[in-house]
């Protein structure tokens, strides 16, 4: 009898083991890898088992989210990259977005907090041209990579270059594109000596100088006798400070054909001053991306020639791609990440842009 019971128990145990074995090795459908999809050829799948998800904590220190909504597009770009590639590449990035409020100390505090929170990598939109370099050198020595964006850093030696790559638009090319739009309009005036005003932003250093140089060189190449006036907004760098500056300029300049500037805040402020004084003959070209400028272009406002688009969502997207390649693919990146050439949005082509759905416009 005991022998019969023992045989029955053995049979039950064998059946249970067979059932467990079937749960451990279910039939699986083939896993589609990035190489089998339409992902760019240069993108490689990380060396991880199919189905595994690598979690990463990424700090994103942004120069200005409070006073200038343009940088909101950076957040959109980071999130868009995750939506496009997170599942495909088996990675989950948790972003910690922090606002530096255009203040160097706030930026340094934010970066220090990200390091203390053990972020795997940091995407930095600096508040100035060099203050973050010592902190970056310490952090990269401890294995935390940096991607620097939008604002190129000014170094004193090659040893200062510790970030993995720079993701930013060519500032001079933005000025060149604006200059090209100015020339198109100047060609209609029949003047050999047109007058152009460019409102720069001295606190932005080389970035502002490059935009002005691109604009100036492009206009002078076609109109060597043109008068190019550069005025620096040393105030708050917003519409109000630019309007005050323009009011003073208009008192002494009886002729101004075209106004451009470092960004839309400077140009819109100048536009407001011109309208208030009835100077409707002046034409304006913005740089960056502003909802009011795009509305005026769509409405056919004759005072606006163009908006030279500097898309912040592209910056966020490409910066996220760069940090992925550094942390997951272990790639060595080029000194500068390629970005699309700047585009000029005009009343003639604005219908080709889905700008009303750009949340970062505010």
């Amino acid at each position: 009898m005991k022998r019969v019971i023992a045989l029955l128990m053995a049979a039950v145990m064998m059946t249970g083991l067979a059932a467990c074995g079937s749960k451990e090795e279910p039939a699986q459908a083939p896993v589609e890898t990035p190489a089998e999809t339409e992902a760019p050829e240069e993108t490689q799948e990380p060396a991880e088992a199919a189905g595994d998800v690598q979690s990463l904590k990424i700090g994103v220190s942004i120069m200005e989210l409070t006073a200038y909504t343009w940088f909101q597009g950076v957040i959109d770009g980071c999130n868009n990259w995750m939506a496009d590639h997170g599942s495909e590449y088996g990675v989950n990035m948790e972003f910690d977005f922090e606002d530096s409020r255009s203040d160097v100390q706030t930026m340094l505090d934010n970066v220090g907090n990200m390091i203390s929170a053990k972020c795997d990598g940091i995407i930095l939109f600096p508040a100035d041209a060099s203050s973050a370099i010592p902190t970056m050198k310490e952090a990269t020595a401890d294995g935390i990579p940096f991607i620097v964006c939008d604002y190129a850093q000014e170094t004193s030696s090659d040893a200062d270059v510790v970030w993995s790559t720079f993701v930013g638009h060519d500032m001079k090319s933005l000025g060149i594109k604006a200059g090209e739009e100015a020339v198109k309009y100047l060609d209609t005036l029949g003047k050999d000596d047109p007058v152009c005003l460019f409102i720069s932003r001295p606190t932005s250093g080389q970035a502002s100088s490059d935009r002005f140089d691109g604009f100036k060189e492009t206009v002078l190449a076609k109109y060597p006798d043109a008068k190019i006036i550069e005025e620096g907004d040393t105030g708050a760098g917003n519409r109000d400070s630019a309007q005050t500056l323009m009011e003073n300029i208009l008192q002494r300049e009886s002729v101004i054909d075209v106004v451009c500037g470092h960004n839309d805040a400077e140009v819109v402020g100048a536009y407001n001053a011109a309208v208030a004084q009835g100077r409707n003959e002046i034409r304006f070209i913005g740089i960056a991306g502003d909802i009011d400028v795009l509305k005026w272009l769509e409405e056919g406002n004759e005072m606006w020639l163009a908006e030279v688009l500097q898309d912040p969502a592209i910056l966020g997207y490409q910066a996220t791609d760069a940090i992925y390649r550094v942390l997951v693919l272990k790639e060595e990146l080029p000194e500068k990440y390629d970005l699309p050439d700047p585009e000029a949005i005009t009343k003639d082509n604005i219908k080709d842009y889905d700008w009303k759905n750009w949340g970062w416009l505010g």
Side-chain angles (χ1 to χ4, degrees):
M1 184 64 174
K2 292 181 179 179
R3 179 179 179 80
V4 172
I5 292 173
L7 289 171
L8 288 171
M9 291 178 65
V12 171
M13 291 175 65
M14 290 298 292
T15 302
L17 289 171
C20 290
S22 65
K23 291 179 181 177
E24 291 175 357
E25 299 180 1
Q28 296 186 11
V31 177
E32 187 180 51
T33 66
E36 296 167 349
T37 67
E38 295 181 358
E41 292 182 3
E42 70 273 15
T43 301
Q44 303 174 19
E45 184 181 16
E48 295 194 30
D52 287 353
V53 175
Q54 184 172 0
S55 294
L56 298 169
K57 187 172 184 178
I58 307 299
V60 187
S61 176
I62 301 177
M63 178 181 177
E64 180 62 66
L65 288 173
T66 306
Y68 192 25
T69 62
W70 183 85
F71 278 105
Q72 295 285 343
V74 170
I75 297 175
D76 292 344
C78 294
N79 290 330
N80 289 344
W81 189 95
M82 267 302 304
D84 288 348
H85 300 299
S87 297
E88 181 184 11
Y89 296 167
V91 63
N92 178 48
M93 294 191 194
E94 177 187 343
F95 297 109
D96 175 16
F97 299 107
E98 297 293 342
D99 183 2
S100 294
R101 300 176 184 270
S102 300
D103 180 71
V104 169
Q105 189 56 54
T106 302
M107 171 192 69
L108 295 175
D109 290 343
N110 288 341
V111 172
N113 291 337
M114 291 171 183
I115 294 170
S116 298
K118 300 189 183 305
C119 284
D120 297 290
I122 295 175
I123 296 171
L124 176 64
F125 288 78
D128 76 342
S130 62
S131 295
I133 290 176
T135 300
M136 283 192 281
K137 292 174 79 169
E138 291 179 9
T140 53
D142 290 334
I144 301 175
F146 276 75
I147 304 297
V148 172
C149 306
D150 189 49
Y151 201 162
Q153 298 294 274
E154 297 175 6
T155 61
S156 58
S157 70
D158 291 343
D160 288 342
V161 185
V162 294
W163 48 91
S164 298
T165 190
F166 171 69
V167 179
H169 291 94
D170 184 324
M171 298 300 176
K172 189 170 185 177
S173 68
L174 292 168
I176 290 172
K177 179 60 68 174
E180 290 172 353
E181 294 302 313
V183 166
K184 290 178 185 178
Y185 172 69
L186 297 176
D187 286 346
T188 70
L189 300 182
K191 299 169 64 173
D192 293 330
D193 56 350
V195 179
C196 296
L197 167 67
F198 191 97
I199 301 178
S200 60
R201 183 71 179 138
T203 56
S204 292
Q206 193 63 43
S208 190
S209 296
D210 286 347
R211 294 185 194 201
F212 171 66
D213 289 344
F215 180 84
K216 178 181 178 180
E217 291 170 10
T218 302
V219 173
L220 290 178
K222 182 68 183 290
Y223 292 95
D225 294 327
K227 178 181 179 181
I228 311 293
I229 305 166
E230 180 191 8
E231 289 286 342
D233 181 2
T234 57
N238 56 29
R239 292 185 180 191
D240 291 339
S241 63
Q243 181 169 345
T244 300
L245 176 64
M246 184 66 170
E247 288 169 351
N248 294 329
I249 296 170
L250 292 174
Q251 296 302 312
R252 70 169 195 267
E253 299 292 341
S254 60
V255 177
I256 299 177
D257 295 303
V258 177
V259 174
C260 188
H262 176 71
N263 58 29
D264 285 309
E266 304 294 350
V267 185
V268 172
Y271 165 77
N272 290 338
V275 170
Q277 295 192 25
R279 298 289 296 271
N280 299 332
E281 80 281 4
I282 303 175
R283 298 295 181 262
F284 296 83
I285 300 170
I287 292 180
D290 183 280
I291 191 168
D292 287 334
V293 174
L294 294 172
K295 284 179 179 177
W296 290 323
L297 287 169
E298 184 181 60
E299 293 166 357
N301 185 324
E302 293 296 330
M303 294 181 71
W304 283 91
L305 299 176
E307 173 77 294
V308 177
L309 179 64
Q310 184 186 15
D311 192 335
I314 289 178
L315 290 177
Y317 196 98
Q318 295 293 74
T320 306
D321 187 72
I323 202 72
Y324 162 76
R325 291 176 178 275
V326 169
L327 287 172
V328 179
L329 302 184
K330 309 300 182 184
E331 289 185 4
E332 183 174 342
L333 301 181
E335 179 181 345
K336 187 176 185 299
Y337 228 62
D338 287 336
L339 291 177
D341 292 333
E343 306 170 38
I345 303 176
T346 68
K347 61 183 176 61
D348 295 325
N349 67 11
I350 192 169
K351 62 182 180 299
D352 298 329
Y353 292 84
D354 189 28
W355 63 275
K356 292 180 180 178
N357 288 319
W358 296 345
W360 51 269
L361 286 174

